[in-house]
Amino acid sequence: MSTEAYIETPLGIATISGDKDGITSVSVTKETTIIPSTMIPPYLQDTVVQLREYFEGDRTHFDLTLNPSGTDFQKKVWDELLKIPFGKTVSYLDIAKRLGDPKSIRAAASANGKNPLWIIIPCHRVIGSDGSLTGYAGGLWRKKWLLAHENPVKQQSLF
């Protein structure tokens, strides 16, 4: 039986779902009436800790048991997304090429958009071939925030 927890993040309330077999989903909501959980179910405690560390700038890699639902192709795409290093980006075409078929770019982009594990499977690190911040289910402002958060070169103020 899947359990849920709600945590506050700089980008909104995140809903975390999972069970003894692993984390099944992490999503961010625009809903403003959800109250963060005061009690975190045991299966979700590591995820909550690691997400908090990520947002505090203390974590660049997640070490969790993942159990997302999806087709075999979607899971292959998500496995490729997990290989994108922190602070780096790749294009949808790069993902399709890594899967062995550059013509699968639309299918790869679709699978990317159906990623059920927000941030943990880093779909925000996939951009257009021209460097543009293309579609992001959580809103482009969140994608921009996440990429800036992960950028190893922080802009310094001149004043």
Side-chain angles (χ1 to χ4, degrees):
M1 179 174 187
S2 186
T3 56
E4 284 189 342
Y6 305 95
I7 64 166
E8 197 167 338
T9 77
L11 300 175
I13 299 292
T15 304
I16 305 163
S17 300
D19 57 27
K20 64 179 178 49
D21 296 321
I23 302 304
T24 55
S25 72
V26 176
S27 61
V28 66
T29 182
K30 297 173 185 115
E31 181 60 50
T32 57
T33 60
I34 296 176
I35 298 170
S37 303
T38 54
M39 296 294 293
I40 305 297
Y43 298 129
L44 306 180
Q45 288 177 357
D46 282 347
T47 306
V48 169
V49 167
Q50 291 186 34
L51 281 169
R52 286 186 177 144
E53 290 171 347
Y54 169 86
F55 283 114
E56 290 167 2
D58 297 329
R59 177 169 290 277
T60 60
H61 176 77
F62 293 96
D63 183 22
L64 299 165
T65 301
L66 308 180
N67 190 22
S69 291
T71 67
D72 288 344
F73 180 79
Q74 288 170 335
K75 289 178 180 181
K76 285 180 188 176
V77 171
W78 302 335
D79 285 344
E80 286 302 319
L81 298 178
L82 287 167
K83 297 174 186 174
I84 305 169
F86 184 89
K88 302 291 183 189
T89 58
V90 300
S91 71
Y92 293 100
L93 181 58
D94 292 333
I95 295 294
K97 286 179 180 176
R98 289 180 185 184
L99 294 170
D101 183 5
K103 293 179 183 173
S104 69
I105 185 170
R106 288 181 190 263
S110 176
N112 188 67
K114 290 182 172 78
N115 168 23
L117 290 164
W118 179 61
I119 297 176
I120 295 169
I121 296 178
C123 59
H124 59 279
R125 296 180 189 153
V126 183
I127 60 174
S129 295
D130 62 358
S132 63
L133 299 185
T134 58
Y136 188 65
L140 286 180
W141 71 272
R142 283 188 178 102
K143 183 172 189 164
K144 184 176 180 181
W145 190 98
L146 290 166
L147 292 174
H149 177 69
E150 294 183 3
N151 188 334
V153 179
K154 300 292 184 194
Q155 182 67 35
Q156 298 296 315
S157 172
L158 296 176
F159 305 102

